[in-house]
Amino acid sequence: MRAALTRPASRFALRVADAMGELRAAAPTTLQVNVGKRCNQACRHCHVDASPTRTEVMPDEVVEACLDVLRRNPELDTLDITGGAPELHPRFREMVARGRAMGRKVMVRHNLTIQQEPGFADLPAFFAGQGVEVVSSLPHYTEEATDRQRGRGVFARSIEALRALNAAGYGRDGVLVLSLVSNPVGAFLPPPQADLERDTRAWLLSHHGIVFDRLFTITNMPIARFAAWLERAGNYDAYMARLEAAFNPATLPGLMCRGLVSVGYDGRLYDCDFNQMLELGLESDRAATIHEFDLHRLAGRRVRTGEHCFGCTAGAGSSCGGALA
């Protein structure tokens, strides 16, 4: 029986209702912190709409509140730091070090090319010293496809950065974990994750001497800069139809919104990073900001959804940790 909905039902909500009732979160285990929209790049697919011209940066009081929430809630075993380019935040290294000092797993969404900016060449050594898990975007293992999405010369700079991470010990023995993230260069779904990981591993090793631990596939989300590109190309409706047609209920239990809480640079709380970019905050009966964080009230919360959520449930699914089914 379809669950009763207290607000007008989107097509996505109706599909979820048929499959499992309402989409509700489990107890959060990850605090995902977006420290701002500043970035050294302006990628075509970016759902954050980040660029070098953005000025939004997490203020000190929000940084301290995030770290205090982590300290008070040992159930949050992972600190996931993202941006923009999170390394551009003036307190980035402090956040990493304090998270690790609390015994938490710290993941950094690292765009690789930031290493070539002045003052950032030592990032691989810093990451290794702190035992950080590095998650880096590489849309494709070929230069042409990657540069088409991220800008001319980005692939070559990314290869240089990957070599530096390998030299620091990443991707070699499973201790210092290096994960790559691939998303399609266009308006279509990712290929099977295992197949792309196999092909990427073979190509990067044979052509560039690069090794890594795992590869995640992520579907391009129909929001922000990618949505604008779809509109200009006249492909938005067709892409949405493709995502909806590929809806897979087997992806629902593993959706990232069920196991994390996303914190915006201004301290507001969201079910996921994508909702954050659409300014879809938590349901009104839940904490609105990091200053009101209550882990027990956040467990079991109803997740806010919209048509963009078809991006996470299409095909094998998509999340910050890759395919779901």
Side-chain angles (χ1 to χ4, degrees):
M1 178 180 296
R2 179 168 291 166
L5 299 173
T6 59
R7 59 186 184 277
S10 67
R11 293 195 308 276
F12 181 80
L14 291 173
R15 297 294 292 273
V16 171
D18 282 336
M20 64 181 298
E22 288 185 322
L23 182 61
R24 289 188 173 271
T29 58
T30 297
L31 189 70
Q32 186 177 71
V33 180
N34 189 310
V35 296
K37 297 179 182 289
R38 289 180 59 206
C39 189
N40 62 314
Q41 297 181 179
C43 301
R44 188 175 73 181
H45 70 291
C46 183
H47 71 276
V48 181
D49 204 20
S51 80
T53 64
R54 301 301 294 261
T55 59
E56 299 92 331
V57 175
M58 181 173 282
D60 287 344
E61 61 269 22
V62 177
V63 170
E64 289 297 335
C66 289
L67 292 169
D68 186 59
V69 161
L70 207 62
R71 179 187 61 78
R72 291 187 289 105
N73 295 278
E75 301 91 338
L76 294 170
D77 58 23
T78 300
L79 173 62
D80 184 348
I81 308 177
T82 185
E87 299 90 345
L88 289 172
H89 192 283
R91 296 183 63 184
F92 165 75
R93 298 191 190 214
E94 178 190 350
M95 292 178 70
V96 169
R98 289 173 65 180
R100 290 294 291 145
M102 295 179 206
R104 302 306 200 274
K105 173 182 175 180
V106 174
M107 303 172 64
V108 174
R109 307 283 166 172
H110 173 59
N111 77 4
L112 295 173
T113 64
I114 191 68
Q115 290 184 35
Q116 284 100 40
E117 300 295 331
F120 294 96
D122 66 333
L123 278 173
F126 170 74
F127 290 152
Q130 292 293 332
V132 168
E133 179 172 333
V134 176
V135 183
S136 295
S137 176
L138 189 72
H140 199 261
Y141 55 81
T142 63
E143 183 171 16
E144 179 184 4
T146 291
D147 283 3
R148 192 186 320 147
Q149 184 179 100
R150 301 188 70 194
R152 182 176 299 177
V154 167
F155 181 82
R157 294 170 64 198
S158 296
I159 291 298
E160 181 183 342
L162 286 169
R163 288 189 177 123
L165 287 165
N166 282 173
Y170 275 92
R172 297 193 177 279
D173 56 13
V175 176
L176 294 174
V177 177
L178 172 61
S179 300
L180 301 183
V181 178
S182 173
N183 54 292
V185 185
F188 44 87
L189 295 178
Q193 183 168 286
D195 292 350
L196 184 59
E197 179 177 302
R198 179 198 62 224
D199 294 346
T200 301
R201 190 180 302 281
W203 183 274
L204 291 183
L205 181 59
S206 63
H207 288 75
H208 304 287
I210 300 296
V211 293
F212 62 94
D213 291 284
R214 55 192 180 183
L215 179 140
F216 302 143
T217 54
I218 292 186
T219 302
N220 288 325
M221 293 299 289
I223 61 177
R225 199 172 289 156
F226 186 68
W229 177 80
L230 289 170
E231 292 280 9
R232 289 195 302 272
N235 287 336
Y236 183 84
D237 290 341
Y239 185 66
M240 290 302 303
R242 178 173 297 153
L243 295 181
E244 185 170 356
F247 175 78
N248 181 359
T251 64
L252 295 173
L255 290 175
M256 60 185 175
C257 55
R258 302 194 67 242
L260 63 75
V261 177
S262 175
V263 189
Y265 73 91
D266 57 359
R268 286 187 287 178
L269 300 181
Y270 302 87
D271 291 305
C272 71
D273 196 48
F274 302 127
N275 278 9
Q276 182 183 147
M277 299 311 135
L278 293 171
E279 298 188 355
L280 294 176
L282 300 184
E283 291 284 357
S284 58
D285 62 335
R286 307 291 167 171
T289 74
I290 191 69
H291 304 289
E292 306 157 287
F293 192 97
D294 185 329
L295 186 71
H296 301 294
R297 290 191 66 224
L298 290 169
R301 70 188 186 279
R302 183 172 60 186
V303 175
R304 291 191 70 180
T305 62
E307 309 305 351
H308 65 288
C309 299
F310 280 118
C312 289
T313 58
S318 178
S319 76
C320 287
L324 301 170

